[in-house]
Amino acid sequence: MKQEDKITEKPSKYDNLDKLGVTEILKYINDEDRLVAEAVSRSLPMVGNLVEAIEPRMRQGGRLFYVGAGTSGRLGVLDASELPPTFGVPDTWVVGLIAGGDRALRHAVENAEDDTEQAWADLAPYCPTPADSLIGIAASGTTPYVIGAVAKAREMGMVTGCITSNPGSPLADAAQYAIETIVGPEFVTGSSRMKSGTAQKMVLNMISTTLMIRLGRVQGNRMVNMQLTNAKLLDRGTRMIEDSLGVGYEEAREMLLKAGSVKKAMERCR
């Protein structure tokens, strides 16, 4: 895909940004952000197909890997890292990898995304198998690190998906399930951390949350398996038990502390 063909590299429809006032800048960014949810909505059928392909594999013990570079990689790592505390799952269920390793979460790592073989080398310690699934994340759809991972994973028989903001990209061609969130040119030309990044975050939220619900990690609309890692979550869990079982706050808290999770506390009362 040539540079001039990438929507993510097209000039912003706004110019002279450095001459705008604060209110104007904020309004125009917000106007552009409104387009993101519409773009994600158009991709929902493919998101659903990907989730339905991943779910049975995870039920059988398969894992989900996210692979990305820069903003895309950080968003994948973020989504994966939030699942254990939110849903009480092992951190091996969903794993995020970023080009350049953990250092790249805070610092730019030069040329890390340009090696088509490196992502698979980074995956090697996890011993990926055909039972696993992999989602490549790249706004441009041309990142070698990500394309290499998706192509190899598909060759191995893994379920493969991608999230990109350019239609008909090499990444989309490499994946079985191509989620293309076409959000248009960025407010700051080429700054895909903005609309493209927001779209990626939304899609990742959808994929992981839907999978966790389908895999039994939510009861009703409650995070009954959340880890009780701070006072806020302990209070939230206590109130869940209080409301569900009709007991007092202190009794609910004691039940929660003994059981270790909202789900276990409720199960002991059945």
Side-chain angles (χ1 to χ4, degrees):
M1 175 176 278
K2 297 178 181 178
Q3 186 84 344
E4 57 267 25
D5 295 332
K6 298 178 184 177
I7 294 176
T8 51
E9 295 295 331
K10 297 291 185 185
S12 170
K13 70 180 184 181
Y14 306 90
D15 203 355
N16 300 313
L17 302 185
D18 51 329
K19 295 180 173 58
L20 298 178
V22 169
T23 300
E24 289 177 294
I25 293 172
L26 296 177
K27 179 186 183 304
Y28 293 149
I29 291 174
N30 185 238
D31 288 345
E32 288 300 299
D33 284 345
R34 294 177 195 277
L35 304 176
V36 177
E38 296 174 7
V40 171
S41 177
R42 291 191 290 271
S43 75
L44 286 182
M46 188 60 75
V47 177
N49 291 341
L50 177 55
V51 170
E52 288 175 350
I54 295 172
E55 181 190 340
R57 291 181 174 234
M58 293 193 75
R59 287 189 182 278
Q60 298 298 318
R63 299 158 296 175
L64 172 59
F65 294 99
Y66 296 142
V67 175
T71 297
S72 300
R74 294 182 187 100
L75 289 170
V77 172
L78 172 64
D79 191 74
S81 66
E82 290 181 336
L83 301 183
T86 304
F87 300 105
V89 298
D91 59 12
T92 53
W93 276 30
V94 182
V95 178
L97 296 180
I98 180 172
D102 286 352
R103 174 174 169 74
L105 293 172
R106 294 180 179 273
H107 306 279
V109 179
E110 190 174 355
N111 300 324
E113 66 178 55
D114 296 332
D115 188 341
T116 57
E117 306 295 328
Q118 186 57 49
W120 200 254
D122 292 343
L123 279 162
Y126 297 94
C127 301
T129 76
D132 298 323
S133 305
L134 185 145
I135 299 175
I137 314 165
S140 68
T142 59
T143 307
Y145 181 88
V146 180
I147 294 171
V150 171
K152 181 66 175 178
R154 187 170 183 177
E155 181 184 314
M156 276 194 61
M158 296 167 65
V159 164
T160 57
C162 73
I163 306 171
T164 179
S165 293
N166 282 316
S169 68
L171 178 58
D173 289 342
Q176 293 166 286
Y177 300 92
I179 299 167
E180 298 174 316
T181 54
I182 313 305
V183 297
E186 296 288 358
F187 176 71
V188 175
T189 299
S191 182
S192 56
R193 58 177 282 273
M194 301 187 75
K195 289 192 296 181
S196 293
T198 300
Q200 290 169 353
K201 181 68 167 70
M202 292 174 71
V203 172
L204 289 168
N205 279 348
M206 288 178 177
I207 291 171
S208 59
T209 302
T210 303
L211 284 169
M212 293 299 107
I213 292 171
R214 296 287 298 169
L215 294 171
R217 309 308 296 181
V218 172
Q219 185 174 307
N221 59 12
R222 293 169 172 168
M223 300 182 291
V224 294
N225 289 288
M226 64 184 179
Q227 294 177 357
L228 307 173
T229 53
N230 57 46
K232 177 189 72 176
L233 297 179
L234 182 60
D235 176 70
R236 180 185 297 165
T238 299
R239 294 186 186 281
M240 286 184 193
I241 296 170
E242 183 183 24
D243 293 342
S244 297
L245 301 181
V247 299
Y249 185 89
E250 291 305 321
E251 183 179 353
R253 180 183 173 87
E254 184 177 348
M255 293 170 62
L256 179 59
L257 290 173
K258 285 182 178 179
S261 77
V262 175
K263 185 174 184 179
K264 290 178 181 178
M266 290 180 176
E267 288 175 344
R268 291 180 181 181
C269 289
R270 290 175 183 168

